[in-house]
Amino acid sequence: IVANGADKGLTLPDMVRKYKEDLVGEANYARFGNKFPLLIKFIDAKLDLSIQVHPGDELAKKRHNSFGKNEMWYVIAADQGAKLISGFAEQITPKEYKERVYNGTFADVLQTCAIKPGDVFYVPAGRVHGIGAGAFVAEIQQTDITYRIFDYNRKDRDGKSRELHTSQAIDAINFADVQDDFRTEYEQVQNEPVEMVASPYFTTSIYDMTEEITCDYSELDSFVIFICVEGSCR
């Protein structure tokens, strides 16, 4: 919700409807209309969060008349031992996937990565992923569909399990997505933009600033979002 100025009190969707391409850019408005195309969250996980996967645009359009969801994490802070789950540690079959979800061993075949501040993970649609306890991340993503696969066999106070989307997710999962480390490497340089992730849905750069920087976006047909992850700025 807009905090101050002439548009105080308007929501982000209100702003898109009011300003259209003047706010989000001509190409974005033609592509997404009045729906703001990104969602940004700060996630401060006190427990291991559920394992998820997101469908790509094609499957999401077919099933939900929606866009898919590609996302990324930037680790702002991490408790000792904090981890992120991204992709598979070994290749499994769709049949084994279902068996492991039902017998509670699905997490055993996932790639678990110890994390530190500044780590970056790009999570394309189809990559199984989860946020572990003690991780504090900025999550930048498309705004749409999530399938919850596995919730560590947890029950609520009434003894019920959370709803899972095991069968729906099987068509979305990239079962060949096996790597030793899914971290996105980038160079750390002060006082100039360093691109971390470039995708068809968003481009993310980091500025490690010790002095004033001037950015000229006059030729850019898009909105720009700034997130302060450490220190302060005006």
Side-chain angles (χ1 to χ4, degrees), residues 47-52 83-86 100-101 103-108 110-112 128-133 148-155 161-162 164:
L47 299 171
D48 291 334
L49 305 189
S50 61
I51 308 299
Q52 304 177 346
K83 295 178 173 62
L84 293 173
I85 290 173
S86 182
R100 283 185 172 274
V101 169
N103 67 26
T105 63
F106 184 56
D108 296 348
L110 302 180
Q111 186 65 261
T112 303
V128 174
H129 60 279
I131 296 174
R148 186 186 302 117
I149 300 172
F150 185 65
D151 197 40
Y152 300 98
N153 313 307
R154 290 180 288 217
K155 311 285 185 184
S161 301
R162 296 175 75 189
L164 299 179

PDB file of all heavy atoms in Angstrom, residues 47-52 83-86 100-101 103-108 110-112 128-133 148-155 161-162 164:
ATOM      1  N   LEU A  47      10.975 -22.709  11.343  1.00  0.00           N
ATOM      2  CA  LEU A  47      10.931 -24.156  11.167  1.00  0.00           C
ATOM      3  C   LEU A  47      11.269 -24.464   9.712  1.00  0.00           C
ATOM      4  O   LEU A  47      11.253 -23.565   8.855  1.00  0.00           O
ATOM      5  CB  LEU A  47       9.527 -24.696  11.481  1.00  0.00           C
ATOM      6  CG  LEU A  47       8.978 -24.489  12.890  1.00  0.00           C
ATOM      7  CD1 LEU A  47       7.505 -24.886  12.930  1.00  0.00           C
ATOM      8  CD2 LEU A  47       9.774 -25.303  13.897  1.00  0.00           C
ATOM      9  N   ASP A  48      11.554 -25.729   9.410  1.00  0.00           N
ATOM     10  CA  ASP A  48      11.709 -26.127   8.013  1.00  0.00           C
ATOM     11  C   ASP A  48      10.375 -25.921   7.296  1.00  0.00           C
ATOM     12  O   ASP A  48       9.342 -26.453   7.722  1.00  0.00           O
ATOM     13  CB  ASP A  48      12.106 -27.602   7.921  1.00  0.00           C
ATOM     14  CG  ASP A  48      13.512 -27.854   8.438  1.00  0.00           C
ATOM     15  OD1 ASP A  48      14.337 -26.919   8.399  1.00  0.00           O
ATOM     16  OD2 ASP A  48      13.774 -28.980   8.902  1.00  0.00           O
ATOM     17  N   LEU A  49      10.381 -25.146   6.215  1.00  0.00           N
ATOM     18  CA  LEU A  49       9.152 -24.926   5.467  1.00  0.00           C
ATOM     19  C   LEU A  49       8.913 -26.083   4.508  1.00  0.00           C
ATOM     20  O   LEU A  49       9.816 -26.845   4.180  1.00  0.00           O
ATOM     21  CB  LEU A  49       9.230 -23.597   4.711  1.00  0.00           C
ATOM     22  CG  LEU A  49       9.533 -22.357   5.560  1.00  0.00           C
ATOM     23  CD1 LEU A  49       9.370 -21.086   4.728  1.00  0.00           C
ATOM     24  CD2 LEU A  49       8.639 -22.286   6.795  1.00  0.00           C
ATOM     25  N   SER A  50       7.690 -26.214   4.038  1.00  0.00           N
ATOM     26  CA  SER A  50       7.314 -27.352   3.202  1.00  0.00           C
ATOM     27  C   SER A  50       8.112 -27.367   1.896  1.00  0.00           C
ATOM     28  O   SER A  50       8.551 -26.327   1.401  1.00  0.00           O
ATOM     29  CB  SER A  50       5.816 -27.322   2.901  1.00  0.00           C
ATOM     30  OG  SER A  50       5.476 -26.137   2.204  1.00  0.00           O
ATOM     31  N   ILE A  51       8.278 -28.575   1.342  1.00  0.00           N
ATOM     32  CA  ILE A  51       8.934 -28.754   0.042  1.00  0.00           C
ATOM     33  C   ILE A  51       7.914 -28.470  -1.054  1.00  0.00           C
ATOM     34  O   ILE A  51       6.794 -28.982  -1.017  1.00  0.00           O
ATOM     35  CB  ILE A  51       9.481 -30.183  -0.114  1.00  0.00           C
ATOM     36  CG1 ILE A  51      10.362 -30.565   1.087  1.00  0.00           C
ATOM     37  CG2 ILE A  51      10.246 -30.323  -1.421  1.00  0.00           C
ATOM     38  CD1 ILE A  51      11.572 -29.700   1.281  1.00  0.00           C
ATOM     39  N   GLN A  52       8.328 -27.662  -2.050  1.00  0.00           N
ATOM     40  CA  GLN A  52       7.394 -27.213  -3.078  1.00  0.00           C
ATOM     41  C   GLN A  52       8.003 -27.378  -4.467  1.00  0.00           C
ATOM     42  O   GLN A  52       9.198 -27.592  -4.634  1.00  0.00           O
ATOM     43  CB  GLN A  52       7.053 -25.729  -2.871  1.00  0.00           C
ATOM     44  CG  GLN A  52       6.496 -25.387  -1.507  1.00  0.00           C
ATOM     45  CD  GLN A  52       6.253 -23.900  -1.343  1.00  0.00           C
ATOM     46  OE1 GLN A  52       6.729 -23.078  -2.138  1.00  0.00           O
ATOM     47  NE2 GLN A  52       5.508 -23.527  -0.324  1.00  0.00           N
ATOM     48  N   LYS A  83      19.947 -24.120   6.278  1.00  0.00           N
ATOM     49  CA  LYS A  83      20.102 -24.748   4.963  1.00  0.00           C
ATOM     50  C   LYS A  83      18.953 -24.347   4.043  1.00  0.00           C
ATOM     51  O   LYS A  83      17.870 -23.969   4.496  1.00  0.00           O
ATOM     52  CB  LYS A  83      20.123 -26.280   5.100  1.00  0.00           C
ATOM     53  CG  LYS A  83      21.321 -26.827   5.881  1.00  0.00           C
ATOM     54  CD  LYS A  83      21.245 -28.339   6.007  1.00  0.00           C
ATOM     55  CE  LYS A  83      22.506 -28.918   6.639  1.00  0.00           C
ATOM     56  NZ  LYS A  83      22.737 -28.441   8.003  1.00  0.00           N
ATOM     57  N   LEU A  84      19.210 -24.447   2.747  1.00  0.00           N
ATOM     58  CA  LEU A  84      18.175 -24.366   1.719  1.00  0.00           C
ATOM     59  C   LEU A  84      18.190 -25.659   0.925  1.00  0.00           C
ATOM     60  O   LEU A  84      19.243 -26.273   0.728  1.00  0.00           O
ATOM     61  CB  LEU A  84      18.416 -23.174   0.780  1.00  0.00           C
ATOM     62  CG  LEU A  84      18.266 -21.783   1.390  1.00  0.00           C
ATOM     63  CD1 LEU A  84      18.693 -20.719   0.381  1.00  0.00           C
ATOM     64  CD2 LEU A  84      16.831 -21.532   1.836  1.00  0.00           C
ATOM     65  N   ILE A  85      17.024 -26.067   0.473  1.00  0.00           N
ATOM     66  CA  ILE A  85      16.893 -27.258  -0.369  1.00  0.00           C
ATOM     67  C   ILE A  85      16.617 -26.802  -1.790  1.00  0.00           C
ATOM     68  O   ILE A  85      15.709 -25.989  -2.030  1.00  0.00           O
ATOM     69  CB  ILE A  85      15.762 -28.166   0.145  1.00  0.00           C
ATOM     70  CG1 ILE A  85      16.176 -28.821   1.466  1.00  0.00           C
ATOM     71  CG2 ILE A  85      15.397 -29.235  -0.890  1.00  0.00           C
ATOM     72  CD1 ILE A  85      15.067 -29.600   2.135  1.00  0.00           C
ATOM     73  N   SER A  86      17.411 -27.303  -2.732  1.00  0.00           N
ATOM     74  CA  SER A  86      17.252 -26.905  -4.132  1.00  0.00           C
ATOM     75  C   SER A  86      17.637 -28.067  -5.030  1.00  0.00           C
ATOM     76  O   SER A  86      18.805 -28.463  -5.092  1.00  0.00           O
ATOM     77  CB  SER A  86      18.132 -25.684  -4.432  1.00  0.00           C
ATOM     78  OG  SER A  86      17.949 -25.251  -5.763  1.00  0.00           O
ATOM     79  N   ARG A 100       8.263 -42.254  -2.062  1.00  0.00           N
ATOM     80  CA  ARG A 100       9.010 -41.562  -1.011  1.00  0.00           C
ATOM     81  C   ARG A 100       8.147 -40.504  -0.310  1.00  0.00           C
ATOM     82  O   ARG A 100       8.292 -40.280   0.902  1.00  0.00           O
ATOM     83  CB  ARG A 100      10.273 -40.930  -1.590  1.00  0.00           C
ATOM     84  CG  ARG A 100      11.380 -41.945  -1.847  1.00  0.00           C
ATOM     85  CD  ARG A 100      12.659 -41.265  -2.294  1.00  0.00           C
ATOM     86  NE  ARG A 100      13.777 -42.209  -2.368  1.00  0.00           N
ATOM     87  CZ  ARG A 100      14.546 -42.543  -1.357  1.00  0.00           C
ATOM     88  NH1 ARG A 100      14.319 -42.014  -0.158  1.00  0.00           N
ATOM     89  NH2 ARG A 100      15.547 -43.384  -1.507  1.00  0.00           N
ATOM     90  N   VAL A 101       7.273 -39.843  -1.057  1.00  0.00           N
ATOM     91  CA  VAL A 101       6.365 -38.890  -0.409  1.00  0.00           C
ATOM     92  C   VAL A 101       5.464 -39.629   0.576  1.00  0.00           C
ATOM     93  O   VAL A 101       5.288 -39.201   1.728  1.00  0.00           O
ATOM     94  CB  VAL A 101       5.533 -38.124  -1.455  1.00  0.00           C
ATOM     95  CG1 VAL A 101       4.402 -37.348  -0.775  1.00  0.00           C
ATOM     96  CG2 VAL A 101       6.416 -37.168  -2.245  1.00  0.00           C
ATOM     97  N   ASN A 103       5.943 -42.605   2.027  1.00  0.00           N
ATOM     98  CA  ASN A 103       6.590 -43.268   3.169  1.00  0.00           C
ATOM     99  C   ASN A 103       7.453 -42.312   3.998  1.00  0.00           C
ATOM    100  O   ASN A 103       8.137 -42.729   4.941  1.00  0.00           O
ATOM    101  CB  ASN A 103       7.401 -44.493   2.717  1.00  0.00           C
ATOM    102  CG  ASN A 103       8.607 -44.133   1.854  1.00  0.00           C
ATOM    103  OD1 ASN A 103       9.161 -43.046   1.935  1.00  0.00           O
ATOM    104  ND2 ASN A 103       9.023 -45.077   1.007  1.00  0.00           N
ATOM    105  N   GLY A 104       7.440 -41.008   3.619  1.00  0.00           N
ATOM    106  CA  GLY A 104       8.094 -39.994   4.443  1.00  0.00           C
ATOM    107  C   GLY A 104       9.577 -39.832   4.245  1.00  0.00           C
ATOM    108  O   GLY A 104      10.252 -39.207   5.067  1.00  0.00           O
ATOM    109  N   THR A 105      10.143 -40.358   3.138  1.00  0.00           N
ATOM    110  CA  THR A 105      11.589 -40.280   2.921  1.00  0.00           C
ATOM    111  C   THR A 105      11.976 -39.366   1.752  1.00  0.00           C
ATOM    112  O   THR A 105      13.117 -39.406   1.291  1.00  0.00           O
ATOM    113  CB  THR A 105      12.172 -41.680   2.661  1.00  0.00           C
ATOM    114  OG1 THR A 105      11.605 -42.213   1.441  1.00  0.00           O
ATOM    115  CG2 THR A 105      11.873 -42.622   3.820  1.00  0.00           C
ATOM    116  N   PHE A 106      11.042 -38.545   1.277  1.00  0.00           N
ATOM    117  CA  PHE A 106      11.307 -37.726   0.093  1.00  0.00           C
ATOM    118  C   PHE A 106      12.490 -36.781   0.307  1.00  0.00           C
ATOM    119  O   PHE A 106      13.309 -36.574  -0.592  1.00  0.00           O
ATOM    120  CB  PHE A 106      10.058 -36.939  -0.284  1.00  0.00           C
ATOM    121  CG  PHE A 106      10.193 -36.131  -1.545  1.00  0.00           C
ATOM    122  CD1 PHE A 106      10.565 -36.721  -2.734  1.00  0.00           C
ATOM    123  CD2 PHE A 106       9.969 -34.761  -1.538  1.00  0.00           C
ATOM    124  CE1 PHE A 106      10.698 -35.982  -3.905  1.00  0.00           C
ATOM    125  CE2 PHE A 106      10.092 -34.014  -2.692  1.00  0.00           C
ATOM    126  CZ  PHE A 106      10.458 -34.624  -3.878  1.00  0.00           C
ATOM    127  N   ALA A 107      12.601 -36.202   1.497  1.00  0.00           N
ATOM    128  CA  ALA A 107      13.681 -35.246   1.760  1.00  0.00           C
ATOM    129  C   ALA A 107      15.061 -35.882   1.633  1.00  0.00           C
ATOM    130  O   ALA A 107      16.060 -35.184   1.412  1.00  0.00           O
ATOM    131  CB  ALA A 107      13.505 -34.625   3.139  1.00  0.00           C
ATOM    132  N   ASP A 108      15.145 -37.218   1.742  1.00  0.00           N
ATOM    133  CA  ASP A 108      16.435 -37.907   1.702  1.00  0.00           C
ATOM    134  C   ASP A 108      17.124 -37.792   0.344  1.00  0.00           C
ATOM    135  O   ASP A 108      18.348 -37.971   0.256  1.00  0.00           O
ATOM    136  CB  ASP A 108      16.266 -39.391   2.046  1.00  0.00           C
ATOM    137  CG  ASP A 108      15.766 -39.615   3.462  1.00  0.00           C
ATOM    138  OD1 ASP A 108      15.758 -38.647   4.249  1.00  0.00           O
ATOM    139  OD2 ASP A 108      15.372 -40.757   3.773  1.00  0.00           O
ATOM    140  N   LEU A 110      16.896 -35.082  -1.747  1.00  0.00           N
ATOM    141  CA  LEU A 110      16.982 -33.688  -2.166  1.00  0.00           C
ATOM    142  C   LEU A 110      18.351 -33.102  -1.827  1.00  0.00           C
ATOM    143  O   LEU A 110      19.014 -33.535  -0.885  1.00  0.00           O
ATOM    144  CB  LEU A 110      15.877 -32.868  -1.500  1.00  0.00           C
ATOM    145  CG  LEU A 110      14.454 -33.354  -1.789  1.00  0.00           C
ATOM    146  CD1 LEU A 110      13.444 -32.470  -1.081  1.00  0.00           C
ATOM    147  CD2 LEU A 110      14.176 -33.394  -3.288  1.00  0.00           C
ATOM    148  N   GLN A 111      18.765 -32.103  -2.618  1.00  0.00           N
ATOM    149  CA  GLN A 111      20.067 -31.464  -2.413  1.00  0.00           C
ATOM    150  C   GLN A 111      19.934 -30.390  -1.337  1.00  0.00           C
ATOM    151  O   GLN A 111      19.237 -29.399  -1.516  1.00  0.00           O
ATOM    152  CB  GLN A 111      20.552 -30.843  -3.719  1.00  0.00           C
ATOM    153  CG  GLN A 111      21.958 -30.287  -3.667  1.00  0.00           C
ATOM    154  CD  GLN A 111      22.990 -31.373  -3.436  1.00  0.00           C
ATOM    155  OE1 GLN A 111      23.441 -31.558  -2.306  1.00  0.00           O
ATOM    156  NE2 GLN A 111      23.357 -32.102  -4.472  1.00  0.00           N
ATOM    157  N   THR A 112      20.597 -30.601  -0.218  1.00  0.00           N
ATOM    158  CA  THR A 112      20.541 -29.668   0.905  1.00  0.00           C
ATOM    159  C   THR A 112      21.843 -28.885   0.975  1.00  0.00           C
ATOM    160  O   THR A 112      22.927 -29.478   0.997  1.00  0.00           O
ATOM    161  CB  THR A 112      20.301 -30.429   2.221  1.00  0.00           C
ATOM    162  OG1 THR A 112      19.092 -31.179   2.108  1.00  0.00           O
ATOM    163  CG2 THR A 112      20.185 -29.469   3.381  1.00  0.00           C
ATOM    164  N   VAL A 128      12.432 -28.714  -7.527  1.00  0.00           N
ATOM    165  CA  VAL A 128      11.934 -28.950  -6.170  1.00  0.00           C
ATOM    166  C   VAL A 128      12.787 -28.132  -5.200  1.00  0.00           C
ATOM    167  O   VAL A 128      14.012 -28.068  -5.337  1.00  0.00           O
ATOM    168  CB  VAL A 128      12.008 -30.448  -5.834  1.00  0.00           C
ATOM    169  CG1 VAL A 128      11.633 -30.698  -4.385  1.00  0.00           C
ATOM    170  CG2 VAL A 128      11.101 -31.246  -6.773  1.00  0.00           C
ATOM    171  N   HIS A 129      12.156 -27.508  -4.195  1.00  0.00           N
ATOM    172  CA  HIS A 129      12.909 -26.621  -3.319  1.00  0.00           C
ATOM    173  C   HIS A 129      12.212 -26.438  -1.979  1.00  0.00           C
ATOM    174  O   HIS A 129      11.019 -26.712  -1.837  1.00  0.00           O
ATOM    175  CB  HIS A 129      13.116 -25.257  -3.981  1.00  0.00           C
ATOM    176  CG  HIS A 129      11.823 -24.554  -4.315  1.00  0.00           C
ATOM    177  ND1 HIS A 129      11.079 -24.852  -5.438  1.00  0.00           N
ATOM    178  CD2 HIS A 129      11.133 -23.599  -3.662  1.00  0.00           C
ATOM    179  CE1 HIS A 129       9.997 -24.097  -5.469  1.00  0.00           C
ATOM    180  NE2 HIS A 129       9.997 -23.324  -4.392  1.00  0.00           N
ATOM    181  N   GLY A 130      12.970 -25.954  -0.999  1.00  0.00           N
ATOM    182  CA  GLY A 130      12.417 -25.683   0.319  1.00  0.00           C
ATOM    183  C   GLY A 130      13.374 -24.838   1.130  1.00  0.00           C
ATOM    184  O   GLY A 130      14.589 -24.839   0.903  1.00  0.00           O
ATOM    185  N   ILE A 131      12.831 -24.090   2.082  1.00  0.00           N
ATOM    186  CA  ILE A 131      13.618 -23.203   2.942  1.00  0.00           C
ATOM    187  C   ILE A 131      13.718 -23.836   4.322  1.00  0.00           C
ATOM    188  O   ILE A 131      12.709 -24.221   4.913  1.00  0.00           O
ATOM    189  CB  ILE A 131      12.965 -21.815   3.019  1.00  0.00           C
ATOM    190  CG1 ILE A 131      12.973 -21.163   1.625  1.00  0.00           C
ATOM    191  CG2 ILE A 131      13.695 -20.923   4.028  1.00  0.00           C
ATOM    192  CD1 ILE A 131      12.226 -19.851   1.556  1.00  0.00           C
ATOM    193  N   GLY A 132      14.951 -23.935   4.829  1.00  0.00           N
ATOM    194  CA  GLY A 132      15.176 -24.585   6.110  1.00  0.00           C
ATOM    195  C   GLY A 132      15.119 -23.615   7.276  1.00  0.00           C
ATOM    196  O   GLY A 132      15.228 -22.390   7.112  1.00  0.00           O
ATOM    197  N   ALA A 133      14.969 -24.159   8.479  1.00  0.00           N
ATOM    198  CA  ALA A 133      14.924 -23.355   9.693  1.00  0.00           C
ATOM    199  C   ALA A 133      16.205 -22.539   9.837  1.00  0.00           C
ATOM    200  O   ALA A 133      17.301 -23.016   9.548  1.00  0.00           O
ATOM    201  CB  ALA A 133      14.751 -24.271  10.905  1.00  0.00           C
ATOM    202  N   ARG A 148       2.479 -27.878  -3.164  1.00  0.00           N
ATOM    203  CA  ARG A 148       3.152 -28.353  -1.954  1.00  0.00           C
ATOM    204  C   ARG A 148       3.289 -29.865  -2.051  1.00  0.00           C
ATOM    205  O   ARG A 148       2.298 -30.580  -2.178  1.00  0.00           O
ATOM    206  CB  ARG A 148       2.368 -27.955  -0.701  1.00  0.00           C
ATOM    207  CG  ARG A 148       3.098 -28.294   0.596  1.00  0.00           C
ATOM    208  CD  ARG A 148       2.241 -28.036   1.829  1.00  0.00           C
ATOM    209  NE  ARG A 148       1.796 -26.674   1.914  1.00  0.00           N
ATOM    210  CZ  ARG A 148       0.519 -26.290   1.879  1.00  0.00           C
ATOM    211  NH1 ARG A 148      -0.436 -27.190   1.756  1.00  0.00           N
ATOM    212  NH2 ARG A 148       0.199 -25.023   1.970  1.00  0.00           N
ATOM    213  N   ILE A 149       4.530 -30.355  -1.963  1.00  0.00           N
ATOM    214  CA  ILE A 149       4.797 -31.779  -2.182  1.00  0.00           C
ATOM    215  C   ILE A 149       4.919 -32.544  -0.873  1.00  0.00           C
ATOM    216  O   ILE A 149       4.406 -33.658  -0.735  1.00  0.00           O
ATOM    217  CB  ILE A 149       6.117 -31.957  -2.972  1.00  0.00           C
ATOM    218  CG1 ILE A 149       6.025 -31.276  -4.326  1.00  0.00           C
ATOM    219  CG2 ILE A 149       6.455 -33.421  -3.131  1.00  0.00           C
ATOM    220  CD1 ILE A 149       7.358 -31.254  -5.058  1.00  0.00           C
ATOM    221  N   PHE A 150       5.634 -31.949   0.079  1.00  0.00           N
ATOM    222  CA  PHE A 150       6.044 -32.718   1.265  1.00  0.00           C
ATOM    223  C   PHE A 150       6.143 -31.768   2.448  1.00  0.00           C
ATOM    224  O   PHE A 150       6.664 -30.669   2.330  1.00  0.00           O
ATOM    225  CB  PHE A 150       7.400 -33.387   1.002  1.00  0.00           C
ATOM    226  CG  PHE A 150       7.880 -34.313   2.089  1.00  0.00           C
ATOM    227  CD1 PHE A 150       7.191 -35.481   2.383  1.00  0.00           C
ATOM    228  CD2 PHE A 150       9.032 -34.024   2.810  1.00  0.00           C
ATOM    229  CE1 PHE A 150       7.644 -36.341   3.376  1.00  0.00           C
ATOM    230  CE2 PHE A 150       9.490 -34.879   3.804  1.00  0.00           C
ATOM    231  CZ  PHE A 150       8.789 -36.042   4.080  1.00  0.00           C
ATOM    232  N   ASP A 151       5.618 -32.196   3.597  1.00  0.00           N
ATOM    233  CA  ASP A 151       5.598 -31.321   4.775  1.00  0.00           C
ATOM    234  C   ASP A 151       6.172 -32.032   6.001  1.00  0.00           C
ATOM    235  O   ASP A 151       5.727 -31.791   7.126  1.00  0.00           O
ATOM    236  CB  ASP A 151       4.166 -30.833   5.040  1.00  0.00           C
ATOM    237  CG  ASP A 151       4.131 -29.634   5.963  1.00  0.00           C
ATOM    238  OD1 ASP A 151       5.003 -28.755   5.829  1.00  0.00           O
ATOM    239  OD2 ASP A 151       3.235 -29.572   6.827  1.00  0.00           O
ATOM    240  N   TYR A 152       7.146 -32.908   5.768  1.00  0.00           N
ATOM    241  CA  TYR A 152       7.874 -33.576   6.857  1.00  0.00           C
ATOM    242  C   TYR A 152       6.949 -34.361   7.790  1.00  0.00           C
ATOM    243  O   TYR A 152       7.215 -34.487   8.983  1.00  0.00           O
ATOM    244  CB  TYR A 152       8.700 -32.551   7.657  1.00  0.00           C
ATOM    245  CG  TYR A 152       9.727 -31.835   6.821  1.00  0.00           C
ATOM    246  CD1 TYR A 152       9.475 -30.559   6.298  1.00  0.00           C
ATOM    247  CD2 TYR A 152      10.947 -32.431   6.514  1.00  0.00           C
ATOM    248  CE1 TYR A 152      10.415 -29.906   5.509  1.00  0.00           C
ATOM    249  CE2 TYR A 152      11.890 -31.786   5.731  1.00  0.00           C
ATOM    250  CZ  TYR A 152      11.618 -30.521   5.230  1.00  0.00           C
ATOM    251  OH  TYR A 152      12.552 -29.881   4.444  1.00  0.00           O
ATOM    252  N   ASN A 153       5.847 -34.859   7.211  1.00  0.00           N
ATOM    253  CA  ASN A 153       4.915 -35.724   7.964  1.00  0.00           C
ATOM    254  C   ASN A 153       4.320 -35.026   9.198  1.00  0.00           C
ATOM    255  O   ASN A 153       3.918 -35.678  10.160  1.00  0.00           O
ATOM    256  CB  ASN A 153       5.622 -37.019   8.404  1.00  0.00           C
ATOM    257  CG  ASN A 153       6.410 -37.647   7.272  1.00  0.00           C
ATOM    258  OD1 ASN A 153       5.868 -37.888   6.197  1.00  0.00           O
ATOM    259  ND2 ASN A 153       7.696 -37.896   7.485  1.00  0.00           N
ATOM    260  N   ARG A 154       4.253 -33.691   9.167  1.00  0.00           N
ATOM    261  CA  ARG A 154       3.747 -32.953  10.324  1.00  0.00           C
ATOM    262  C   ARG A 154       2.227 -32.990  10.391  1.00  0.00           C
ATOM    263  O   ARG A 154       1.555 -33.066   9.363  1.00  0.00           O
ATOM    264  CB  ARG A 154       4.229 -31.499  10.282  1.00  0.00           C
ATOM    265  CG  ARG A 154       5.718 -31.362  10.548  1.00  0.00           C
ATOM    266  CD  ARG A 154       6.194 -29.939  10.511  1.00  0.00           C
ATOM    267  NE  ARG A 154       6.216 -29.382   9.166  1.00  0.00           N
ATOM    268  CZ  ARG A 154       7.148 -28.553   8.721  1.00  0.00           C
ATOM    269  NH1 ARG A 154       8.137 -28.179   9.521  1.00  0.00           N
ATOM    270  NH2 ARG A 154       7.108 -28.079   7.496  1.00  0.00           N
ATOM    271  N   LYS A 155       1.715 -32.881  11.615  1.00  0.00           N
ATOM    272  CA  LYS A 155       0.272 -32.821  11.857  1.00  0.00           C
ATOM    273  C   LYS A 155      -0.058 -31.521  12.573  1.00  0.00           C
ATOM    274  O   LYS A 155       0.770 -30.983  13.321  1.00  0.00           O
ATOM    275  CB  LYS A 155      -0.193 -33.996  12.736  1.00  0.00           C
ATOM    276  CG  LYS A 155       0.291 -35.369  12.299  1.00  0.00           C
ATOM    277  CD  LYS A 155      -0.460 -35.874  11.091  1.00  0.00           C
ATOM    278  CE  LYS A 155      -0.038 -37.318  10.758  1.00  0.00           C
ATOM    279  NZ  LYS A 155      -0.665 -37.821   9.533  1.00  0.00           N
ATOM    280  N   SER A 161      -2.926 -33.700   8.584  1.00  0.00           N
ATOM    281  CA  SER A 161      -1.815 -33.278   7.745  1.00  0.00           C
ATOM    282  C   SER A 161      -2.259 -32.118   6.854  1.00  0.00           C
ATOM    283  O   SER A 161      -3.442 -31.980   6.528  1.00  0.00           O
ATOM    284  CB  SER A 161      -1.335 -34.434   6.863  1.00  0.00           C
ATOM    285  OG  SER A 161      -0.933 -35.531   7.652  1.00  0.00           O
ATOM    286  N   ARG A 162      -1.312 -31.263   6.455  1.00  0.00           N
ATOM    287  CA  ARG A 162      -1.625 -30.201   5.501  1.00  0.00           C
ATOM    288  C   ARG A 162      -1.909 -30.814   4.139  1.00  0.00           C
ATOM    289  O   ARG A 162      -1.399 -31.884   3.800  1.00  0.00           O
ATOM    290  CB  ARG A 162      -0.465 -29.219   5.378  1.00  0.00           C
ATOM    291  CG  ARG A 162      -0.160 -28.465   6.650  1.00  0.00           C
ATOM    292  CD  ARG A 162       1.067 -27.605   6.488  1.00  0.00           C
ATOM    293  NE  ARG A 162       0.801 -26.418   5.704  1.00  0.00           N
ATOM    294  CZ  ARG A 162       1.741 -25.586   5.266  1.00  0.00           C
ATOM    295  NH1 ARG A 162       3.016 -25.850   5.499  1.00  0.00           N
ATOM    296  NH2 ARG A 162       1.427 -24.512   4.578  1.00  0.00           N
ATOM    297  N   LEU A 164      -1.521 -31.738   0.485  1.00  0.00           N
ATOM    298  CA  LEU A 164      -0.402 -31.885  -0.433  1.00  0.00           C
ATOM    299  C   LEU A 164      -0.924 -32.000  -1.859  1.00  0.00           C
ATOM    300  O   LEU A 164      -2.053 -32.403  -2.087  1.00  0.00           O
ATOM    301  CB  LEU A 164       0.424 -33.126  -0.071  1.00  0.00           C
ATOM    302  CG  LEU A 164       1.064 -33.149   1.320  1.00  0.00           C
ATOM    303  CD1 LEU A 164       1.820 -34.448   1.539  1.00  0.00           C
ATOM    304  CD2 LEU A 164       1.994 -31.957   1.524  1.00  0.00           C
TER     305      LEU A 164
END
